């Protein structure tokens, strides 16, 4: 409540004592509030700074009143301070400077708790002030038509209401009212306040200047302006902005003085900008309501006083409204029907009824009193008779309810259906209904299924299933727990038009549906229908129908509950039996244990595996089959998991029915009851002995790879020692003999020298072939296609077979890793085909397609099972797979017995190559990188694999030379 006010005005001397009288009146009102306040509250100071005073601007007077009324809602005692810039009376800088000095002097020692700035200049005045007490004080603004000053945005705490002047909306409304408008005259003054409003109007009308003729009468004296307005052309409207000062320097109160003068003199409708100017004959328009903005600002001030921060309160915009004066509309012949939607028409004169309704009502009241007295006596007699009839009917109805309750209260479930239909018939005949039906909603509430139904003779029975998609209004009331009633179809609401059509099509005259609930949720309904007469569903009748509905619904629910219980027990038994069947049929061993850690169940697979009877396993009997070396660890894992209620996994050896110990992988998880209590564990076990054996086999493969690598090194050393080295020694012996045999003839020397040259050439050729087998130089310098063709020719010559190679679009700049990989795969595939296929003709294809390189090697030989070589001790297919894996390639085999074999290799052109590094590994990482060492061993083994297959061929080829060498070595050297 505002308990103290201090008002400060700069009063215009020309206004005489009127301003002082207003101030005195406002102070008297505030003083009255002080006297009326009986409770002392905490004091808060509120300062209102406005652009114009309450005397010079009626609009600001309304703003002050709205602020004053809004601040009364504060829980504090308010000291209300008021200051005004009086821009229309003292616009000069000297007056504003003196005001600023006086303002700072006055309030620097009496800091306000909230400052309300009413007007753009007032807000700018505060924003430009450098006084600390102003910058720390929360600021609420209203009546702001322009942008918020940038100085205010730096470090001040502010919020408020931004006003919106919308001249373009007013112009659109005027053009709609007067579609023949061609000229728009804009009136305004020369004051500082006037210029701003005129600028807004000009900016808003800019887009209409090409359509209408605009004339701005803003620099004229008032007499000249009024004279111009009296002689306006036809099809003209006037838009008034503001006139606080004319060209002669005369000052005016715009809304109180200028607007009436302009509106009375103008020979055309005058439209204005705010609600304060809607007077003196102005038509109106899209107007700003300053009082509403002030009420919103007052509410913000109360929130700030209550502790909220201004920056937490969002800035809002004012709500404009279309407002028009009824007298002006009549004067200019404007129709209310053409006004914009939501328009407010003010100053409408009272109608005849409003003037004389008291006299008319008094006469009518006298007549009605007499008539009422007569009819009251008649009504009382009729009511007594009706009451007697109703009492008799109620007695009979209560007797029927008692009978129905007695019938169903202890009725066996198997007799509910028969008695339900019989009771519905009795009820329908007693209530004079044509059909009564008991429905149940579907799970998604889109359908109602008929449970029980009775219908009178000649009336159609209820459908077994009713869709509620077209009965949304009826269904909505039922789901909300409300009765759906239709006494007269014509009186149903508009949203029930689908229900009206449904009832008409079904021949229904009156209907009522009572919701049936379970646990507060509507699950069904009982419907009462008449097709031959109309029924008025009174509240008393509806309440009685609810009682009936409860009797039938409870009987049906009890029947359903018993049926559901019986069914659930059967389902439970079936579920347990199904679990046992599934568990017994499962290919894994399943066990269950209680909360006491003792096992309670083992499936048939478990019993078949152990060969023990079920009675031997429960409790701790299962532990008897665990291998003695694994029992302690097994029990420890089992016990710890139970204590922590956590899943567990373990591997242990268990004795099978044949006495063999097999590796078992056991996985257990905790079980919980519906109330989250611990129920025990359930687990499963599988025989993983084969997996263990596979892991051991994998380790043996690694061992064989190492052995193969050592074997290849041994073979290479043997070839160099037993073949190349011996042949070099033989060549040396022959040359030594030639040198010492002086008696030989010249022809003999030439012959022996030629043989030595041939031996040297053969030796170089063999060394070159050996080097080529280890590393193809053609592959490096001529590419994959040339190297492949060369290898096919050599293998054809050596083995006497025919190899057809076809290449297509193989790039020459193929990465070396891919070329080497495909070349080695080709060598391995061809050598295996020549060795095992049993045919002499082979097809090789190299082609590039879809950013990949495809290699295929085909023969029409005996074929084989593709899975069998992978499980044998050979490393050919394994090396191919490992090689292709390094370049992200894949190998596949198509083979059938007696139908030939085709090996496919596919490598992407841009793989993420993971070849082992050729640089020496660091001492810290190489010993531990077993996987990398294994890959290098596999690669080296695959590189040497083709040489192994040529060993016998080369030895047979050089067998004669070795025999010659032995004979030569056996002869003594000549002296």
């Amino acid at each position: 409540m505002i308990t103290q006010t201090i008002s400060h005005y700069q009063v215009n001397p020309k206004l005489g004592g009127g301003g002082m009288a207003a101030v005195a009146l406002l102070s008297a009102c505030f003083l009255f509030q002080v006297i009326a306040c009986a409770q002392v509250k905490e004091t808060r100071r509120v300062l209102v700074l406005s652009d114009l005073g309450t005397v010079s601007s009626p609009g600001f007077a309304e703003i002050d009143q709205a602020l004053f009324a809004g601040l009364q809602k504060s829980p504090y005692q308010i000291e209300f301070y008021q200051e005004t810039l009086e821009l229309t009376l003292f616009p000069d800088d000297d007056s504003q400077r003196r005001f600023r000095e006086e303002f700072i002097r006055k309030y620097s020692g009496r800091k306000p708790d909230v400052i309300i700035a009413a007007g753009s200049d007032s807000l700018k005045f505060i924003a430009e002030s450098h006084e600390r007490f102003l910058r720390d004080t929360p600021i609420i603004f209203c009546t702001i038509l322009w942008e918020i000053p940038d100085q205010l945005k730096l470090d001040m705490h502010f919020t408020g209401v931004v006003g919106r002047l919308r001249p373009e909306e007013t112009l659109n409304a005027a053009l709609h009212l007067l579609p023949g408008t061609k000229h728009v005259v804009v009136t305004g003054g020369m004051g500082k306040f006037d210029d701003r409003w005129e600028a807004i109007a000009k900016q808003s009308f800019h887009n209409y200047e090409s359509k209408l003729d605009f004339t701005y009468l803003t620099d004229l004296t008032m007499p000249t302006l009024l004279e111009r307005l009296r002689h306006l052309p036809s099809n003209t409207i006037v838009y008034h902005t503001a006139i606080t000062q004319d060209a002669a320097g005369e000052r005016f109160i715009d809304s109180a003085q200028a607007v009436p003068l302009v509106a009375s003199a103008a020979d055309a409708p005058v439209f204005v900008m705010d609600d304060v100017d809607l007077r003196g004959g102005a038509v109106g328009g899209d107007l700003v309501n300053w009082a509403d903005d002030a009420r919103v600002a007052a509410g913000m001030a109360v929130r700030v006083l209550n502790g909220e921060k201004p920056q937490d309160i969002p800035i809002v915009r004012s709500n404009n409204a279309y407002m028009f004066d009824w007298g002006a509309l009549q004067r200019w012949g404007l129709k209310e029907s053409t006004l914009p939607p939501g328009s407010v028409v003010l100053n409408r004169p009272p109608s005849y009824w409003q003037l004389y309704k008291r006299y008319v009502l008094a006469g009518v009241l006298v007549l009605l009193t007499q008539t009422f007295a007569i009819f009251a006596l008649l009504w009382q007699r009729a009511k007594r008779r009706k009451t007697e009839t109703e009492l008799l009917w109620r007695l009979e109805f209560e007797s029927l309810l008692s009978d129905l309750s007695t019938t169903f209260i202890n009725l066996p479930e198997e007799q509910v259906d028969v008695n339900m239909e019989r009771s519905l018939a009795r009820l329908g005949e007693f209530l004079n209904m044509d059909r009564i039906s008991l429905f149940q909603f579907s799970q998604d509430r889109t359908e109602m299924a008929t449970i029980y139904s009775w219908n009178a003779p000649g009336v159609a029975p209820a459908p077994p299933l009713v869709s509620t998609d077209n009965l949304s209004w009826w269904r909505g009331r039922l789901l909300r727990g409300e009765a759906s009633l239709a006494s007269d179809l014509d009186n149903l609401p508009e949203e029930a038009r689908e229900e009206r059509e449904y009832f008409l099509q079904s021949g229904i005259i009156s209907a009522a549906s009572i919701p049936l609930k379970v646990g507060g949720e509507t699950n069904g309904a009982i419907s009462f229908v008449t097709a031959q007469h109309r029924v008025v569903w009174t509240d008393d009748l509806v309440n009685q129908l609810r009682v009936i509905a409860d009797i039938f619904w409870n009987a049906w629910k009890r029947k359903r509950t018993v049926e559901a219980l019986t069914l659930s027990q059967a389902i439970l038994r079936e579920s347990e039996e199904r679990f046992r069947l599934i568990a017994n049929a499962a290919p894994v061993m399943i066990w269950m244990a209680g909360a006491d850690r003792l096992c309670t169940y083992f499936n048939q697979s478990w019993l078949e595996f152990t060969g023990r009877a079920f009675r031997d396993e429960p409790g701790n009997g299962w532990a008897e089959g665990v291998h003695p070396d694994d029992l302690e660890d097994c029990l420890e894992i089992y016990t710890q998991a139970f204590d922590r209620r956590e899943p567990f996994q373990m591997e242990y050896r268990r004795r099978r029915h044949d006495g063999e110990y097999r590796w078992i992988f056991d996985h257990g998880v905790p079980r919980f009851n519906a109330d989250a209590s611990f129920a025990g564990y359930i687990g499963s076990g599988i025989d993983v002995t084969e997996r263990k054996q596979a892991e051991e086999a994998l380790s043996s493969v690694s061992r064989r790879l190492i052995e193969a690598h050592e074997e290849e090194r041994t073979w290479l050393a043997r070839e160099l020692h037993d073949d190349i080295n011996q042949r070099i020694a033989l060549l040396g012996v022959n040359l030594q003999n030639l040198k010492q045999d002086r008696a030989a003839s010249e022809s003999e020397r030439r012959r022996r020298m030629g043989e030595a040259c041939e031996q040297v050439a053969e030796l170089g050729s063999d060394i070159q072939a050996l080097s080529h087998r280890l590393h193809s130089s053609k592959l490096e310098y001529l590419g994959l296609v040339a190297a492949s063709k060369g290898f096919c020719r050599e293998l054809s010559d050596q083995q006497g077979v025919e190899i057809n190679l076809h290449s297509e679009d193989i790039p020459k700049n193929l990465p070396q890793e891919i070329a080497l990989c495909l070349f080695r795969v080709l060598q391995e595939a061809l050598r295996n085909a020549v060795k095992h296929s049993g045919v002499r003709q082979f097809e090789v294809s190299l082609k590039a397609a879809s950013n990949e390189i495809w290699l295929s090697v085909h023969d029409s030989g005996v074929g084989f099972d593709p899975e069998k070589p992978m499980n044998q001790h050979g490393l050919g297919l394994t090396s191919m797979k490992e090689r292709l894996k390094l370049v992200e390639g894949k190998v596949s085999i198509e083979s059938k017995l007696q139908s030939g074999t085709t090996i496919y290799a596919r490598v992407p052109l841009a793989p993420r190559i993971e070849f082992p590094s050729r640089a020496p590994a660091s001492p810290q990482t190489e010993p531990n990188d077993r996987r990398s060492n294994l890959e290098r061993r596999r690669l080296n083994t695959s590189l040497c694999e083709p040489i192994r297959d040529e060993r016998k061929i080369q030895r047979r080829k050089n067998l004669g030379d070795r025999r010659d060498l032995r004979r030569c070595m056996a002869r003594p050297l000549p002296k």
Side-chain angles (χ1 to χ4, degrees), residues 24 103 202 311 320 361 514 572 595 606 620 689 783 800 844 865 900:
F103 180 86
K202 285 185 178 181
Q311 54 268 31
N320 292 25
L361 290 175
I514 307 300
L572 180 60
W606 180 289
N620 291 322
T689 306
V844 178
D865 183 3

Side-chain angles (χ1 to χ4, degrees), residues 33-74:
Q33 296 290 339
V34 174
I35 297 173
C37 182
Q39 183 179 1
V40 178
K41 301 179 180 179
E42 189 176 353
T43 302
R44 292 289 185 269
R45 298 188 183 98
V46 178
L47 170 60
V48 178
L49 178 62
S50 55
D51 292 356
L52 303 177
T54 58
V55 176
S56 57
S57 174
F60 279 92
E62 293 184 4
I63 292 172
D64 289 344
Q65 294 174 5
L67 291 174
F68 175 75
L71 289 172
Q72 287 184 340
K73 300 177 182 178
S74 172

Side-chain angles (χ1 to χ4, degrees), residues 735-800:
L735 292 176
Q736 184 67 24
N737 292 337
L738 179 61
K739 177 180 178 182
Q740 296 179 358
D741 190 2
R742 301 179 181 273
S745 63
E746 183 67 22
S747 59
E748 180 65 18
R749 286 178 175 273
R750 289 181 179 179
R751 184 185 64 77
R752 295 172 64 182
M753 184 63 68
E755 291 178 355
C757 290
E758 290 179 0
Q759 292 177 0
V760 171
E762 291 177 358
L763 185 62
S765 176
D766 292 343
I767 293 175
Q768 182 181 9
L770 179 62
S771 174
H772 178 70
R773 293 189 187 99
L774 295 176
H775 178 73
S776 174
S777 59
K778 288 183 180 181
L779 179 66
E780 181 176 357
Y781 296 105
L782 301 180
L784 176 62
V785 176
S788 300
K789 290 181 179 179
F791 172 74
C792 291
R793 284 196 301 270
E794 293 176 3
L795 188 61
S796 297
D797 296 339
Q798 294 173 2
Q799 302 293 336

